[in-house]
Amino acid sequence: MLTQPIHEPADAMPLHDRVQIALAIAEPLLLKTLLTDCTPPIALPHQIGGISSQIGIPVESRKAIDGIIQFESIRCTLADSNADWEQGILDYNHSVGNRRGYLELNRCAAELSTLGQMVSLSQAIALLAQAEFSPEQVHAILNLPQDAWYKSGWFTLDASGSFTIPFQRLIRTRHYANGTLTIQYKDFFTEEQPPCFKSQDRQVLVEIGTETHSFRKTLEKINYARQRLGIAEALLICSQISDLEAQGYMSQGISIYATHEVVLPTHANCQNCATECCPMQGNPDSPVTQCQRFCLETELQ
């Protein structure tokens, strides 16, 4: 994909404007595609939670970076059930040739960490629900006796980016007279400590390449913005790029998204849409107002 020049139709909106409008609309599916389908990928689809974008971020007077994508990088996930947790342990032990089971998971212990410090009840519920605890589990955690711990099974990422490494998390709740709560947790694991409770916030600089900017100028602009904004990750979106240029950018830690087709969502009417594989097709009460797959029957002919 990177070696073939891609030419835009003469009457098409310029790539720079299309990408900036797409970033301004911040359609989640498109933003995720930019992060997962670039070379090398910035994140895998199952590692991306909430996502948003900003455009035209100033780095100094009269200078700005084209955009920034902010996303929730999921690093730990709660086991769906006890059966899932136990099977995960068996699979992990088999993969590393370990037969000691649960004893191995308790080999290392992390320091006590705080998830929420003197938060309201509603904030505490939201924090635990965001980690995908069920309402019943949230109720159990928030109503623990003062010296009790809630045990839960979790998985963190392996080298391939899959959630296969099990660890155990103990959670306790402290209640205060003013009605606030503090939620603390402690992790037990085999080798590497889980990096966070569930996710970490990440930012990616977005630069839209143009033919008027040379390799040196583009790299200079990205590196300057990296330094000024304190953002290490960067993505270059361009309509055409040579293999040599791509290798040059990637050697500097910049991912490449080469495309001639950044599709903007269009006003949609599911009742008149001809996309037959969509479950909303033909639905007069569909809540969808914008869709990248909206297509009239005349467009198919």
Side-chain angles (χ1 to χ4, degrees):
M1 181 175 69
L2 299 179
T3 58
Q4 298 296 322
I6 302 172
H7 302 285
E8 297 180 27
D11 58 348
M13 183 185 295
L15 175 71
H16 191 279
D17 291 344
R18 288 207 313 277
V19 174
Q20 283 224 307
I21 292 172
L23 291 174
I25 294 173
E27 202 280 318
L29 181 59
L30 175 59
L31 296 181
K32 289 182 180 180
T33 298
L34 294 177
L35 299 182
T36 61
D37 292 359
C38 56
T39 306
I42 292 172
L44 298 176
H46 64 276
Q47 297 173 7
I48 300 175
I51 190 167
S52 62
S53 63
Q54 301 176 36
I55 63 170
I57 310 301
V59 291
E60 66 173 31
S61 177
R62 297 187 180 182
K63 286 188 178 182
I65 193 73
D66 287 323
I68 293 176
I69 297 176
Q70 303 115 315
F71 70 102
E72 178 192 10
S73 178
I74 300 173
R75 311 293 296 174
C76 304
T77 181
L78 179 67
D80 291 335
S81 63
N82 286 335
D84 179 57
W85 162 242
E86 290 170 2
Q87 185 60 50
I89 292 173
L90 291 174
D91 293 342
Y92 171 77
N93 287 333
H94 177 74
S95 69
V96 298
N98 170 54
R99 297 182 179 179
R100 287 183 289 174
Y102 284 99
L103 295 177
E104 185 73 4
L105 292 177
N106 291 327
R107 187 171 66 183
C108 302
E111 295 292 328
L112 186 66
S113 298
T114 299
L115 176 62
Q117 178 74 40
M118 299 189 72
V119 297
S120 67
L121 177 60
S122 61
Q123 289 174 319
I125 292 173
L127 285 171
L128 294 171
Q130 188 178 11
E132 300 183 348
F133 282 107
S134 69
E136 294 77 16
Q137 291 172 314
V138 171
H139 181 269
I141 293 170
L142 296 181
N143 288 277
L144 288 168
Q146 188 75 1
D147 297 324
W149 294 82
Y150 183 91
K151 292 183 180 180
S152 55
W154 291 67
F155 298 100
T156 189
L157 297 169
D158 59 22
S160 68
S162 299
F163 292 105
T164 64
I165 303 178
F167 68 95
Q168 191 171 67
R169 173 165 287 161
L170 272 61
I171 303 175
R172 72 180 183 185
T173 305
R174 291 286 184 263
H175 297 264
Y176 303 102
N178 62 2
T180 61
L181 307 91
T182 290
I183 303 174
Q184 298 174 312
Y185 66 95
K186 189 170 186 176
D187 293 336
F188 295 86
F189 50 96
T190 55
E191 293 182 11
E192 293 189 22
Q193 181 178 341
C196 56
F197 188 80
K198 180 176 182 281
S199 61
Q200 296 170 316
D201 292 330
R202 286 168 63 182
Q203 291 186 313
V204 180
L205 289 171
V206 179
E207 173 68 11
I208 306 167
T210 63
E211 294 182 0
T212 58
H213 283 178
S214 64
F215 174 85
R216 182 182 68 83
K217 286 288 186 183
T218 301
L219 186 60
E220 198 174 78
K221 181 181 178 183
I222 292 174
N223 284 339
Y224 181 75
R226 278 170 157 174
Q227 184 180 41
R228 293 283 295 184
L229 300 176
I231 301 175
E233 296 182 282
L235 172 66
L236 175 64
I237 302 175
C238 49
S239 60
Q240 56 182 347
I241 189 170
S242 69
D243 237 1
L244 186 62
E245 286 179 307
Q247 291 177 26
Y249 286 121
M250 287 189 287
S251 71
Q252 298 302 304
I254 300 169
S255 293
I256 309 294
Y257 189 96
T259 181
H260 69 296
E261 190 79 29
V262 175
V263 181
L264 298 178
T266 58
H267 181 73
N269 184 333
C270 294
Q271 188 173 11
N272 299 327
C273 183
T275 306
E276 296 182 355
C277 59
C278 177
M280 287 295 175
Q281 194 264 340
N283 185 350
D285 300 318
S286 169
V288 178
T289 58
Q290 287 188 321
C291 179
Q292 292 182 355
R293 300 172 64 195
F294 175 66
C295 178
L296 294 172
E297 187 173 357
T298 55
E299 296 173 349
L300 298 176
Q301 298 175 350

